[in-house]
Amino acid sequence: MTRLCTDNSIEMCRDEIVAGYRQWRERTGNNPHCPVRDVLDRMGDKWTTLIVITLAERPHRFSEIHRAVPDISRRMLTQTLRHLERDGMVLRQVFPTMPPSVEYRLTHLGESLLRPLAELIAWADGNHERIMAARVAYDAGSG
Amino acid sequence: MTRLCTDNSIEMCRDEIVAGYRQWRERTGNNPHCPVRDVLDRMGDKWTTLIVITLAERPHRFSEIHRAVPDISRRMLTQTLRHLERDGMVLRQVFPTMPPSVEYRLTHLGESLLRPLAELIAWADGNHERIMAARVAYDAGSG
DNA sequence: CGGGATCCACGCGGATACTG
DNA sequence: CAGTATCCGCGTGGATCCCG
């Protein structure tokens, strides 16, 4: 599972995913801990992606992120940043000024996530209308 | 936001994400409903990705998926399949046999998700060890 | 300014039992 | 076989207050 799906063939991607999944199951037996879920759980939570996108532009201070990401509470901002820092995606840098000032920036690992993330965002953006149309059709049929 | 980030430059991906995000905010004002989150929320839930990967190989019957995806309850399997069907990602086909037989398969839309998904899986697989190492280091530092 | 601590509501998801 | 219905625990995340 080290190949990258860089060409345009859906079949190649399917084969890659299927083969990779099969290999992982054979390697790990019934190990319930899947590295992919480890990542997807983070991506899927409420704030991680927005924060990563915000930090993609440039380093931000705590309050800057708080202003840039609408409606996030300080508690969840702190918690999400801690998770990202723990996973090596974000670097936290404290300046011992008064009042204190803390800067957050993406690490190289964090920046490397931008590429697959951009793919996913492009897909979501490009197929959002199709999905909404499918929902309308589904709800009309079973309504 | 229709360009695809197909080359290797992190900078291009960053610019694309940042610009796309800015454009979306300008278009929608403070609309809290983000199409990207719509997708990521699904990807992040506990079972969607596993089911999509399972169906990527070939169509499956309900019980086949149930056997292929370890530990999922029938309730969550039904629920997740309904969500995927509603979003136009999965096609549900009932054969009026006795006992009943139902087949699920990916639609074209569902298959088109495989490409960005493969990218993300490759990233997760390729960087999992780095992430685990970062966690160990973090936990040791603040232990 | 940049948090930590505490309390609480809500919804996801598991367990179990039942059905056409 | 392919679901549906019901109950319930637990974790996520919001609100509020406190601190260096």
Side-chain angles (χ1 to χ4, degrees):
Chain A
M1 193 70 179
T2 50
R3 266 190 313 133
L4 270 179
C5 188
T6 48
D7 79 345
N8 295 322
S9 156
I10 293 254
E11 283 69 30
M12 277 205 54
C13 297
R14 165 164 49 217
D15 294 347
E16 178 182 332
I17 288 179
V18 170
Y21 182 48
R22 200 193 316 270
Q23 283 175 28
W24 175 76
R25 279 183 311 186
E26 287 170 3
R27 275 207 317 268
T28 60
N30 259 347
N31 181 347
H33 180 74
C34 172
V36 175
R37 274 258 289 283
D38 226 41
V39 174
L40 286 173
D41 282 353
R42 299 283 189 226
M43 309 281 303
D45 79 12
K46 209 172 174 184
W47 305 110
T48 297
T49 308
L50 277 174
I51 292 178
V52 168
I53 290 176
T54 300
L55 293 183
E57 186 179 2
R58 56 172 175 79
H60 279 67
R61 295 180 51 179
F62 185 87
S63 295
E64 280 184 310
I65 311 177
H66 195 208
R67 278 187 294 272
V69 179
D71 299 333
I72 192 173
S73 64
R74 279 174 306 177
R75 187 173 105 87
M76 289 316 296
L77 179 53
T78 301
Q79 192 174 109
T80 309
L81 284 170
R82 288 293 176 276
H83 283 322
L84 286 168
E85 188 191 359
R86 179 167 183 262
D87 287 356
M89 313 279 295
V90 156
L91 183 67
R92 178 175 181 267
Q93 202 168 358
V94 184
F95 300 98
T97 57
M98 191 57 191
S101 151
V102 181
E103 193 177 85
Y104 294 90
R105 69 177 66 225
L106 291 185
T107 62
H108 286 300
L109 183 60
E111 289 194 323
S112 75
L113 176 62
L114 293 181
R115 202 145 68 88
L117 187 59
E119 289 279 342
L120 205 62
I121 289 177
W123 186 92
D125 212 46
N127 293 283
H128 185 239
E129 291 185 13
R130 247 178 294 256
I131 293 176
M132 296 308 285
R135 287 183 187 172
V136 170
Y138 182 91
D139 293 344
S142 59
Chain B
M1 193 68 179
T2 51
R3 266 189 313 131
L4 271 178
C5 189
T6 49
D7 79 346
N8 295 322
S9 156
I10 292 255
E11 283 69 29
M12 278 204 53
C13 296
R14 165 165 47 219
D15 294 348
E16 178 182 333
I17 288 179
V18 170
Y21 182 49
R22 200 193 317 269
Q23 282 174 29
W24 174 75
R25 280 183 310 186
E26 287 171 2
R27 274 207 317 270
T28 60
N30 259 348
N31 182 348
H33 179 75
C34 171
V36 176
R37 274 259 289 284
D38 227 42
V39 174
L40 286 173
D41 282 352
R42 298 284 187 224
M43 309 280 302
D45 78 14
K46 208 173 175 184
W47 303 111
T48 296
T49 309
L50 277 174
I51 292 178
V52 169
I53 291 177
T54 300
L55 294 182
E57 186 179 2
R58 57 172 174 81
H60 279 65
R61 294 180 52 182
F62 185 87
S63 295
E64 281 185 309
I65 311 177
H66 195 210
R67 279 187 294 273
V69 180
D71 299 332
I72 191 173
S73 65
R74 279 175 304 179
R75 187 173 104 87
M76 290 315 295
L77 179 53
T78 301
Q79 193 175 107
T80 309
L81 284 170
R82 290 289 177 280
H83 283 322
L84 286 169
E85 188 192 358
R86 179 167 183 261
D87 287 354
M89 312 278 296
V90 156
L91 183 68
R92 178 176 182 266
Q93 202 169 0
V94 183
F95 300 98
T97 58
M98 190 58 192
S101 149
V102 181
E103 193 177 87
Y104 294 89
R105 69 176 66 225
L106 291 184
T107 62
H108 286 301
L109 184 59
E111 290 195 322
S112 74
L113 176 61
L114 294 181
R115 203 145 68 87
L117 187 58
E119 289 279 342
L120 205 61
I121 290 177
W123 185 92
D125 212 45
N127 293 283
H128 185 239
E129 291 185 14
R130 247 178 292 255
I131 293 177
M132 296 308 286
R135 286 182 188 173
V136 170
Y138 182 91
D139 293 345
S142 59

